[in-house]
Structure formats: C-alpha cells, structure tokens
Amino acid sequence: EAIVTSEELGQDLEHVEVLQKKFEEFQTDLAAHEERVNEVNQFAGKLIQEQHPEEELIKSKQDEVNASWQRLKGLALQRQGKLFGAAEVQRFNRDVDETISWIKEKGQLMASDDFGRDLASVQALLRKHEGLERDLAALEDKVKALCAEADRLQQSHPINASQIQVKREELIANWEQIRTLAAERHARLNDSYRLQRFLADFRDLTSWVTEMKALINADELANDVAGAEALLDRHQEHKGEIDAHEDSFKSADESGQALLAAGHYASDEVKEKLTVLSDERSALLELWELRRQQYEQCMDLQLFYRDTEQVDNWMSKQEAFLLNEDLGDSLDSVEALLKKHEDFEKSLSAQEEKIT
C-alpha cells in the first residue's frame, strides 16, 4: 500500500519512466497475489459451507481481506493514472525544452552580424538563411501542436495547469522572437544583396570604361585616306558598344537611386559611387567625341594631301605639254595641236575649280 499511496511523481520524464517501471513490477507482483486472494476466498467459502463454528469470524476476515484487496487495486489504478498523467506532462515539458533549445541554437545563427563582404558571400548567406526559414516553417507545425497539447493537458491535469501555461508562454515567446530575428536578418541580407549587386555593377562598368578609354586612345592617327577611313569606322564601332552599355548605366543608376530612396545604411557610399559612375560615363563620351573630331580632321588632312598630290602630278604632266616647241609643219598638224591645246584649257579649268 505504501507503493500505491506514494505521492512521488518524478521531477522529469526520465524520473517518471523509472517510477513507471517500478510500478509495472509492482503490478506484476499484484497480479501474482490475486490468485492467493482467490484461494483465501475459496477456502473461506468451503469453511462456511461446512458450517464451521467460527463462521462469523471467517466471514469477517474474508470481507476484510476482500475490502483491502479492492482498496489496493483501486489505489493501484489511481497510481497508474497519476503516473500516466505525470508522464504526459513531463513529456510535454521535455518537448517544449527541446524545441526552445533548437530555437535558441538557430537564434544564435540569426543574430550573426555577418551580412557578406561581396556578392558571392551575400548570395551564400541568403541561401543558408532560406534553409533556416524552411526549418522554421516546418517547426511552426510543431509549435502549434505543442500549444494544442498544452491546452489539452491544462484541461485534463488542472493541478498542473499553471506550470503548463508557463511552459506554453515560454515557448510562444521564444517562437515569436526567432520569427522576428528571421525577418530582420532576411531584410538585412536583402539590403546587403542589393548593395553588393550595385557595387558589382559599379565595378564592372568602371572597369569597362577604363578598357574602352584605352581602346579609344590606342589608335594612332592615319597617314593616308584608307587608314583614316578605317579609323573612323572603328571609332564608330566603339560608339556602338558605348550605346549598347546605356541600359547597364541606366539600370545601375536606378538601383543606386532606389537604395538612396529607401534610406539604405550605405547611402553615403552609394551616393559617392553614383557620382563616380556618372563622371566616368561623361568622361568616356567626351573622349569619344574628342577623338572623333581628331579622326575627322585627320581624314580631311589626308584628303587634302591626296588631292594636292593628284594636282601636282597633273601639273607636272601638263608642264611637259606646254614646254613642247612643236608648232606644227602643216595645216593639219597645226589644227591637231590647237585641238590638244583646247582640251588642255578645258582640263585646266576643271582643275582650277578643284584647287579653289
């Protein structure tokens, strides 16, 4: 009876399971003694049937044994119920403690101040955080189930209701905290990603501008018309590439302006980079225009050199014609010479227009 009337219900789930194990051993022993009680009843019944002179005493003792036996079985049933209830409560406590422990472990990860140093590291951190958020989404069902279990246990075990409510509130507080941390970290990582995306675009564009400036400055001025034409064609190709990058410059500027409008924590750096990007683009366009003018001037000069060379060659040939002292020795030959001279004068007029 000392076993079944014990008020010890265990301090934790392991302790309760030890008590349940001991109680199961007691129940086995109790079941083994039931046959003994039955034998006592049978023997008492036999004595009464034989009209034993101590019949009244036998009946009294039989009733006393049966009453004690039923009382013991009743207490055993109560003890079994109490241990079962204690196990439910302690199992709930353990599940809550394990869940809170997991939440705090993930909370330490989410409390990290590492938001990435470049685009690749930010993307890696975002993927890792998204994995944690998937874990949280899966955990949410467990939290809801534990809260529902808490409600049920408070109804079925009113004596433990206050302690169960404390555990429930502790679980909810930790759950709300981890959700807030997760949302805040996701927002910070997104801010970091947008910044690193902008900075990566900035580096790509400024590097491209440097390369394009070098290409534009690389060509020497031409020494003939064909070379000058080739320079102008190549220079126009450079302009085509510059125009093709206009969307990239526009996109980078819009990204930077969006960061400034959102009050991003790196607004000063973004503002500086936007100014540099705008200045670099303007400098590139100015350089291209300057070189275009130089190449066109070079083209004009080479055309002039070509034309003057052609005129010089023509004049050299015509000078030999004019120095010819042949005046003809017959009418036909003189007329032929006059025809040649008229052709020369026409050609001279045409060259004069070109020279002037």
Side-chain angles (χ1 to χ4, degrees):
E1 190 167 324
I3 295 175
V4 295
T5 56
S6 172
E7 295 297 324
E8 185 179 17
L9 295 175
Q11 302 301 314
D12 53 38
L13 182 60
E14 289 74 15
H15 191 189
V16 174
E17 288 174 345
V18 168
L19 292 175
Q20 283 182 316
K21 180 67 175 174
K22 289 181 178 179
F23 186 73
E24 287 171 3
E25 294 172 355
F26 163 77
Q27 284 182 310
T28 302
D29 188 48
L30 188 66
H33 280 77
E34 187 164 14
E35 183 63 28
R36 177 62 177 157
V37 173
N38 291 336
E39 289 176 357
V40 168
N41 279 315
Q42 288 174 2
F43 187 60
K46 181 182 177 183
L47 291 175
I48 293 169
Q49 190 176 9
E50 293 175 350
Q51 296 182 344
H52 192 281
E54 298 293 335
E55 181 179 342
E56 291 301 322
L57 179 61
I58 292 171
K59 284 184 179 181
S60 174
K61 287 293 183 181
Q62 183 184 19
D63 291 343
E64 185 180 336
V65 168
N66 285 331
S68 296
W69 178 249
Q70 292 303 320
R71 181 171 180 275
L72 184 61
K73 287 176 68 175
L75 289 172
L77 193 62
Q78 291 178 19
R79 176 67 175 166
Q80 184 181 32
K82 288 180 180 180
L83 286 173
F84 178 79
E88 280 191 315
V89 172
Q90 293 300 342
R91 189 173 293 108
F92 166 78
N93 289 339
R94 182 199 61 185
D95 290 346
V96 169
D97 289 342
E98 288 180 351
T99 302
I100 290 175
S101 178
W102 185 92
I103 287 174
K104 288 182 176 179
E105 179 185 337
K106 301 305 177 184
Q108 290 178 349
L109 295 176
M110 292 185 184
S112 169
D113 58 359
D114 180 11
F115 299 105
R117 301 170 303 282
D118 51 39
L119 189 58
S121 61
V122 173
Q123 288 173 323
L125 287 172
L126 268 172
R127 287 192 295 270
K128 183 178 180 181
H129 186 74
E130 287 165 359
L132 288 173
E133 287 184 319
R134 285 191 293 272
D135 291 342
L136 284 182
L139 184 68
E140 185 172 9
D141 291 338
K142 185 173 183 180
V143 172
K144 289 179 178 178
L146 285 171
C147 287
E149 178 69 357
D151 293 339
R152 185 187 71 81
L153 290 174
Q154 284 179 295
Q155 292 294 323
S156 59
H157 303 288
I159 193 171
N160 299 113
S162 60
Q163 179 267 323
I164 293 170
Q165 181 62 20
V166 169
K167 276 292 182 186
R168 185 179 188 278
E169 291 174 356
E170 184 183 0
L171 174 64
I172 292 174
N174 278 274
W175 173 245
E176 293 297 336
Q177 184 181 24
I178 193 71
R179 289 181 62 188
T180 300
L181 279 175
E184 289 175 352
R185 181 161 178 78
H186 202 155
R188 286 295 301 272
L189 284 171
N190 279 334
D191 285 345
S192 181
Y193 173 79
R194 291 165 61 205
L195 173 64
Q196 295 301 333
R197 177 75 272 174
F198 168 75
L199 293 178
D201 291 342
F202 168 81
R203 287 190 293 270
D204 289 345
L205 286 172
T206 52
S207 176
W208 174 81
V209 167
T210 300
E211 293 174 2
M212 188 55 62
K213 284 180 178 179
L215 279 176
I216 292 173
N217 281 319
D219 292 323
E220 298 290 339
L221 296 178
N223 294 318
D224 53 43
V225 173
E229 288 177 342
L231 277 178
L232 282 170
D233 288 342
R234 190 155 55 248
H235 195 60
Q236 196 57 43
E237 290 175 2
H238 294 332
K239 186 60 165 62
E241 188 173 352
I242 291 172
D243 291 342
H245 277 74
E246 276 302 302
D247 286 344
S248 297
F249 278 100
K250 182 180 178 182
S251 176
D253 183 72
E254 288 175 350
S255 297
Q257 295 298 340
L259 290 173
L260 295 180
H264 195 276
Y265 63 84
S267 290
D268 291 342
E269 182 182 6
V270 172
K271 191 179 298 182
E272 177 191 347
K273 294 291 191 283
L274 284 174
T275 300
V276 171
L277 200 59
S278 177
D279 291 346
E280 286 290 307
R281 177 179 172 277
S282 297
L284 177 62
L285 290 173
E286 289 173 5
L287 175 62
W288 185 88
E289 179 60 24
L290 174 63
R291 293 297 278 177
R292 183 193 65 78
Q293 294 174 7
Q294 290 175 344
Y295 291 151
E296 288 187 351
Q297 290 172 354
C298 176
M299 182 68 173
D300 292 341
L301 181 62
Q302 294 305 324
L303 286 171
F304 171 74
Y305 284 157
R306 185 193 65 182
D307 292 345
T308 55
E309 184 177 357
Q310 290 174 352
V311 170
D312 283 343
N313 290 337
W314 180 83
M315 287 193 296
S316 295
K317 292 178 182 178
Q318 300 308 317
E319 188 175 353
F321 169 75
L322 293 174
L323 293 175
N324 188 350
E325 294 183 359
D326 182 11
L327 299 177
D329 53 6
S330 64
L331 179 60
D332 290 340
S333 62
V334 170
E335 287 178 347
L337 287 172
L338 282 171
K339 182 67 172 67
K340 286 183 179 180
H341 195 77
E342 287 173 1
D343 292 341
F344 162 74
E345 287 180 334
K346 290 178 182 178
S347 178
L348 181 62
S349 296
Q351 290 297 331
E352 185 175 9
E353 290 178 6
K354 183 182 292 187
I355 293 171
T356 59

